[in-house]
């Protein structure tokens, strides 16, 4: 349930105005963690979504358990948007880099299954290229859970991080993405072996 239009009290307005010199990320965390706001949200949640029909507030109620922690370093780098400067482009670049790094590190465990093998010295390039490593989702999850997340994700994920991979594997997005990546890897591998034969 999502609702907007929360009426901020004069006390909260005064408190928020004194924080304008802080980075945007720091002010977002302090604003959302205010005791009065937290108590009000908890009281409203206990009364159910109908409470929003009478007292609209900024909140999202969900049974979803997040697997990624807020990146305080990225939040601290965000700046207040000002029409007189180029902060929009700066914030966009910061967020794009953040999510690009998250995505690359999240997909890293799939590398051995979507990477072709180049011809090695001593091997006959006129033989058929080897097949890509077979993928089994249950075995993949078992091995990944035993190894744990990589160093980049370890300090950014919650204890239920394996659920993110489990949901990704069960989604239609994964089947489409994995099929395209394996097909590209096979084409790249075949091209490399053909070039080795021409040498």
């Amino acid at each position: 349930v999502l609702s907007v239009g929360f009426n901020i009290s004069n006390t909260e307005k005064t408190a928020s105005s004194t924080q304008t010199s802080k980075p945007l990320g720091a002010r977002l965390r302090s604003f959302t963690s205010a005791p009065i706001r937290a108590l009000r949200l908890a009281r409203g949640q206990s009364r159910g979504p109908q409470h929003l029909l009478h007292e609209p507030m900024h909140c999202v109620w969900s049974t979803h358990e997040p697997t990624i922690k807020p990146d305080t370093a990225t939040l601290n780098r965000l700046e207040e948007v000002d029409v007189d400067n180029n902060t929009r482009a700066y914030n966009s670049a910061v967020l794009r880099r953040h999510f690009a790094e998250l995505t690359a590190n999240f997909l890293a465990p799939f590398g051995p299954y979507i990477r072709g093998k180049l011809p090695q010295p001593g091997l006959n390039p006129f033989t058929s290229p080897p097949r890509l490593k077979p993928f089994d989702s249950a075995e993949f999850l078992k091995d990944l859970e035993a190894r744990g997340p990589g160093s980049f994700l370890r300090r950014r994920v919650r204890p239920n991080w394996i659920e993110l991979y489990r949901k990704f594997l069960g989604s239609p997005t994964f089947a489409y993405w994995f099929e395209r990546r394996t097909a590209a890897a096979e084409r790249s591998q075949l091209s490399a072996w053909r070039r080795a034969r021409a040498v």
Side-chain angles (χ1 to χ4, degrees):
V1 181
L2 174 64
S3 178
V4 298
F6 190 91
N7 293 324
I8 303 176
S9 64
N10 291 332
T11 303
E12 289 175 330
K13 288 180 180 179
T14 304
S16 62
S17 63
T18 60
Q19 298 177 357
T20 54
S21 60
K22 295 182 179 180
L24 177 60
R27 289 192 286 109
L28 285 174
R29 290 196 304 279
S30 62
F31 182 74
T32 56
S33 62
I36 297 177
R37 176 63 59 85
L39 179 61
R40 190 175 297 163
L41 290 176
R43 186 180 300 147
Q45 186 172 1
S46 66
R47 285 187 277 173
Q50 292 298 323
H51 173 63
L52 296 177
L53 299 179
H54 308 287
E55 299 180 33
M57 61 182 65
H58 289 298
C59 63
V60 175
W61 295 344
S62 174
T63 58
H64 171 72
E65 294 185 14
T67 55
I68 304 295
K69 299 177 183 178
D71 193 321
T72 56
T74 299
L75 288 175
N76 287 333
R77 293 181 61 192
L78 297 179
E79 297 181 357
E80 180 71 16
V81 175
D82 191 338
V83 295
D84 296 330
N85 57 37
N86 203 26
T87 52
R88 283 190 176 90
Y90 170 79
N91 287 345
S92 177
V94 170
L95 291 175
R96 286 175 181 274
R97 179 174 180 178
H98 168 69
F99 286 109
E101 290 178 340
L102 271 181
T103 302
N105 283 273
F106 173 77
L107 297 177
F110 296 98
Y113 303 94
I114 56 177
R115 188 181 304 119
K117 296 182 179 180
L118 299 177
Q120 300 297 321
L123 293 180
N124 185 2
F126 292 93
T127 59
S128 299
R131 298 178 61 86
L132 298 182
K133 184 178 180 179
F135 181 80
D136 180 83
S137 58
E139 193 68 23
F140 172 81
L141 289 173
K142 181 180 178 180
D143 294 342
L144 184 60
E145 191 169 15
R147 295 197 311 269
S151 58
F152 181 86
L153 291 179
R154 186 171 292 112
R155 51 196 173 90
R156 291 174 170 83
V157 295
R158 301 182 187 274
N160 61 339
W161 63 273
I162 195 67
E163 291 300 320
L164 186 59
Y165 282 95
R166 186 172 285 111
K167 291 179 180 179
F168 180 52
L169 292 177
S171 68
T173 303
F174 171 75
Y176 176 75
W177 172 82
F178 191 76
E179 182 180 355
R180 291 192 62 182
R181 292 301 300 268
T182 52
E186 289 174 348
R187 290 194 300 269
S188 177
Q189 178 177 259
L190 182 58
S191 177
W193 282 68
R194 285 176 175 172
R195 288 196 301 270
R197 294 168 186 169
V199 174

